[in-house]
Amino acid sequence: MNRDELKRVLLEEIANVAPEVDPATVPEDADLREALDIDSISFLNLVIALNGRLGVNVPELDYPKLRELRGALDYLAAAVARRSDTFGLA
């Protein structure tokens, strides 16, 4: 899965968690919780949704890496690549 596909998935899940916000308008360096005006439960729902869509388990210690759109994309790209390598899919 390339970065554009990951971004599409991430933006779709952001739209599900914060339907009143156009995710395409969120700057890549903005704090997602602030930009989306979501609480910690909604952020957790986003992490769970990403796990379901991408098969990426995000430990709680790594949640800060998902704070910004750019950081989330970097983290998810690396996690998907590791998962692919583990299963011989690369």
Side-chain angles (χ1 to χ4, degrees):
M1 180 173 276
N2 66 39
R3 191 173 178 91
D4 289 335
E5 293 167 327
L6 284 172
K7 185 172 185 176
R8 181 184 51 78
V9 168
L10 179 57
L11 293 179
E12 286 173 5
E13 294 307 331
I14 286 172
N16 290 334
V17 171
E20 65 283 351
V21 176
D22 178 1
T25 64
V26 177
E28 284 203 0
D29 61 346
D31 182 296
L32 287 177
R33 286 185 56 188
E34 289 180 21
L36 303 175
D37 193 29
I38 59 174
D39 60 15
S40 58
I41 298 299
S42 294
F43 183 79
L44 179 59
N45 287 335
L46 175 61
V47 172
I48 291 168
L50 292 170
N51 175 285
R53 292 275 305 267
L54 302 173
V56 171
N57 183 32
V58 180
E60 189 173 351
L61 288 173
D62 287 348
Y63 288 2
K65 295 177 182 178
L66 303 179
R67 177 187 295 179
E68 299 172 346
L69 189 61
R70 181 181 304 124
L73 288 170
D74 292 343
Y75 181 89
L76 294 170
V80 167
R82 281 192 306 273
R83 191 195 72 219
S84 296
D85 288 344
T86 300
F87 292 108
L89 301 173

